Each structure stands twice: as C-alpha cells, then as structure tokens.
Amino acid sequence: MSATRLLVLGVVRMHGGSGGAHGYQVRRELLSWSADKWANVQPGSIYHALKKLALEGLLEQVETPQGKGPDRLAYTLTDAGEHAFQQELQQRIADVADDAANASGFAAALVFLTCLPRQLALDLLDYRLVQLDGQRKNVATVLEKGTDWGQPAHVNELYRLWLAHCDADISWTTDLVARLRAGEYVMADDAGQNFGSATPSATS
C-alpha cells in the first residue's frame, strides 16, 4: 500500500463520521500536514486514491444532497478498510525503511501512531530497533573491512553516511520508546480522544 493510500484511509477514518468525509476535506487535512512534501502526496493522487479505495471496498461512498458536483460524494471507512488501515499501519511502524518509498510509508504511519494501543506500538517499535541494530552491524562490518572489498576507498563515505543514519534512527526510536513507556501521548487504549480516533461509523 502506498503512503498516499494509507494517509487517505487514516484521514477518512478520522473525519468520516455518519456524513462521510469529502475529498476536499481529505486534501485540506493532508496539505495542512505538508504531506505533499514529505510523502509526495499530490491533490490529484488523493482523489484517485479515494475512488480506487472505494472500488476495492475499503471506503464506502455516501451521497450528500446538499453538495454539488464532486462535492456531493463523501466517504466513510468500511470494516475491510479498518482492517487494511490497521494492518498497514502496524507493518509500516515495525519495518525499517531502506529506500525512499518505504521512508515515506513510515512517515505516513508515524502520523497515525496514536491509533495503536500503547503496548502494541511499543512492541512494534522494539521490533524496529532489532532490525535497525542488525542493519547497523551489517554496515559497520563493511567499514571494518576498509578497502579490502575491492572498491575505491572514497566509496566508504557512503557507508559512513548510512552508519550515521542508522545511529540517528536508533537514537530517535529509543527515545520515542522511552517517552511512550512514560505515558506520553494519548494512545488508542487510553481514556480521552486521541489523534486519529476512528469515527463512530468506523467501529460500529
């Protein structure tokens, strides 16, 4: 699932309600997060994703009599859509991003982190740390070999950059885990309204 599709599902989940979320609402929300910059979400791709997700049964179209033209259509999350959202969210949080597409997918999942129960989020982030540690060890092993692996010496700078990225990701993830364990943020199983809460129609 692309970052755009995950973001669209998440925003409809937040704002769908009984009347549904209009395409312009989804677009306005995502652009207010600057998702066009960090996830390459374009306005046209948002409307395309809404239609495609509806065709796949993950969203349901709701006609609003007061609307005109495209604005007469709104969307709510189906049970299948809720399942797909949760599945993709959990996978994206746990998996280590090793390319640009996966990185934007992780960013898309991160903005809906509080849609998860606290312990589940912690378990997924702990798993992510295990993967990051393994990735760091692999990169460090290459650097330890120096130029013995047959490439020009300056190519090692790329591996030093990757090692720095691993260290930064490990440090950030470790800090986030500590803050979540200390009770930061209102998670899905906490009392109160958390960011990204499902609308009543999504869980009925």
Side-chain angles (χ1 to χ4, degrees):
M1 182 182 289
S2 69
T4 297
R5 284 163 59 91
L6 177 59
L7 287 166
V8 168
L9 281 177
V11 173
V12 172
R13 185 178 188 270
M14 289 170 60
H15 296 296
S18 58
H22 291 279
Y24 72 83
Q25 291 176 299
V26 178
R27 175 180 179 274
R28 181 180 59 194
E29 187 76 28
L30 291 177
L31 293 183
S32 75
W33 302 352
S34 298
D36 54 324
K37 297 179 177 62
W38 52 263
N40 196 31
V41 175
Q42 302 304 315
S45 66
I46 294 172
Y47 291 104
H48 175 76
L50 285 166
K51 293 177 182 177
K52 189 74 163 53
L53 290 165
L55 285 173
E56 294 172 8
L58 304 183
L59 296 179
E60 182 178 1
Q61 284 187 345
V62 180
E63 287 205 13
T64 53
Q66 68 273 22
K68 296 181 180 179
D71 291 345
R72 77 182 187 280
L73 292 178
Y75 299 86
T76 59
L77 202 67
T78 64
D79 290 341
E82 173 70 14
H83 177 77
F85 172 77
Q86 290 289 340
Q87 186 176 47
E88 187 70 12
L89 175 61
Q90 293 172 36
Q91 181 177 334
R92 292 285 190 175
I93 292 294
D95 288 348
V96 172
D98 55 5
D99 57 41
N102 283 335
S104 63
F106 175 72
L110 186 61
V111 298
F112 292 112
L113 179 67
T114 59
C115 296
L116 297 172
R118 187 174 302 274
Q119 189 56 54
L120 177 56
L122 287 168
D123 290 344
L124 295 171
L125 289 167
D126 283 339
Y127 179 73
R128 177 181 174 80
L129 279 171
V130 171
Q131 292 185 84
L132 286 169
D133 184 61
Q135 189 179 76
R136 190 193 188 284
K137 288 177 180 176
N138 290 338
V139 175
T141 297
V142 173
L143 283 173
E144 288 169 4
K145 292 180 179 178
T147 57
D148 295 343
W149 55 301
Q151 296 294 331
H154 67 273
V155 176
N156 280 337
E157 294 306 322
L158 181 59
Y159 285 84
R160 291 190 179 96
L161 176 62
W162 287 341
L163 191 66
H165 285 171
C166 286
D167 287 339
D169 205 342
I170 289 170
S171 176
W172 172 83
T173 306
T174 300
D175 178 66
L176 175 57
V177 166
R179 287 185 285 113
L180 287 176
R181 290 193 192 283
E184 189 163 343
Y185 301 123
V186 179
M187 304 299 288
D189 55 342
D190 292 333
Q193 182 77 5
N194 63 300
F195 174 79
S197 292
T199 55
S201 63
T203 56
S204 58

